[in-house]
Amino acid sequence: MPAPYKYSNAGIGLLSYLLATASGKTWEDQVNSEILQPLGMADTTLRPTPEQRKRLAQGHNRAGQDAPQWPVFASYAAGGLRSTAHDMISFGEANLGRKEVNGKPDSAELIAAMQLAQKPIYPIPNGNEQAMAWVNNMGGADPAILKNGGTAGFGNGIAIYSTKDAVIFIIMNQIGAQPVAKGIEILRCLP
């Protein structure tokens, strides 16, 4: 019998370490060469440049006070990337299976890998299904594929609605926010 369901940032970090060990390439190099560069996601990085640092939003705690930056040292794959809304929409479009993103063709291998990552592999007690970090939200008439997250001072979410050919990315700069729930609500209102 499998263990009870529990999402684990440590598990995602361990997976990135195992991938790096097996491939001989760092997780950062793999993400850059296999996802970010092919999709033209120039503003998504583990190590922001001084210019990119100037554009980073300030996060806030529940009381509205400035939150410190979240240190991500051993587990870069679990919250280490910094991005922009534009880049995240590009990522969402690629996950919809677009043959072209940002004027560049998507490879069949990247599209296949993204679709594989969305396939359910484990039922969650709330009725949803866990994929490789994505969650298949089975509620409502049209299921959505989503990923939420958060760090000190931020809540974010991306939701993919393939039946409506739509993706939404929402980020809020206050901890405790539930942006993915809002994203699903917005997507379900689309005709």
Side-chain angles (χ1 to χ4, degrees):
M1 175 175 231
Y5 173 82
K6 181 80 173 163
Y7 182 83
S8 170
N9 279 335
I12 297 294
L14 176 60
L15 178 60
S16 70
Y17 173 77
L18 294 173
L19 289 171
T21 301
S23 70
K25 290 173 62 177
T26 67
W27 176 82
E28 182 179 12
D29 287 344
Q30 289 178 67
V31 169
N32 284 331
S33 66
E34 297 177 25
I35 300 171
L36 303 180
Q37 290 171 0
L39 296 178
M41 295 173 63
D43 258 338
T44 302
T45 183
L46 188 59
R47 303 169 203 284
T49 65
E51 188 275 327
Q52 288 169 324
R53 283 190 206 287
K54 290 178 188 175
R55 294 186 282 132
L56 289 174
Q58 174 62 54
H60 299 91
N61 63 24
R62 292 181 198 277
Q65 300 164 328
D66 288 356
Q69 284 194 3
W70 200 42
V72 183
F73 301 111
S75 188
Y76 294 120
L81 288 173
R82 304 296 179 252
S83 192
T84 61
H86 180 270
D87 277 8
M88 290 305 299
I89 292 299
S90 297
F91 181 72
E93 287 182 351
N95 272 279
L96 279 170
R98 299 266 196 275
K99 302 261 189 259
E100 185 178 293
V101 174
N102 288 323
K104 296 170 73 174
D106 262 355
S107 72
E109 293 83 11
L110 181 57
I111 292 169
M114 290 187 161
Q115 290 172 344
L116 178 62
Q118 298 170 13
K119 294 214 178 297
I121 55 176
Y122 192 87
I124 302 174
N126 66 5
N128 293 334
E129 296 176 321
Q130 180 70 54
M132 289 185 208
W134 291 101
V135 170
N136 287 267
N137 181 312
M138 306 312 289
D142 298 312
I145 298 168
L146 54 99
K147 175 68 179 114
N148 63 359
T151 61
F154 293 94
N156 62 72
I158 185 168
I160 300 167
Y161 229 131
S162 57
T163 57
K164 295 185 180 185
D165 195 38
V167 63
I168 190 167
F169 174 71
I170 298 175
I171 186 164
M172 297 174 175
N173 65 338
Q174 186 163 8
I175 195 164
Q178 296 295 323
V180 80
K182 292 294 178 198
I184 291 171
E185 186 179 321
I186 291 167
L187 287 173
R188 288 200 169 134
C189 290
L190 295 176

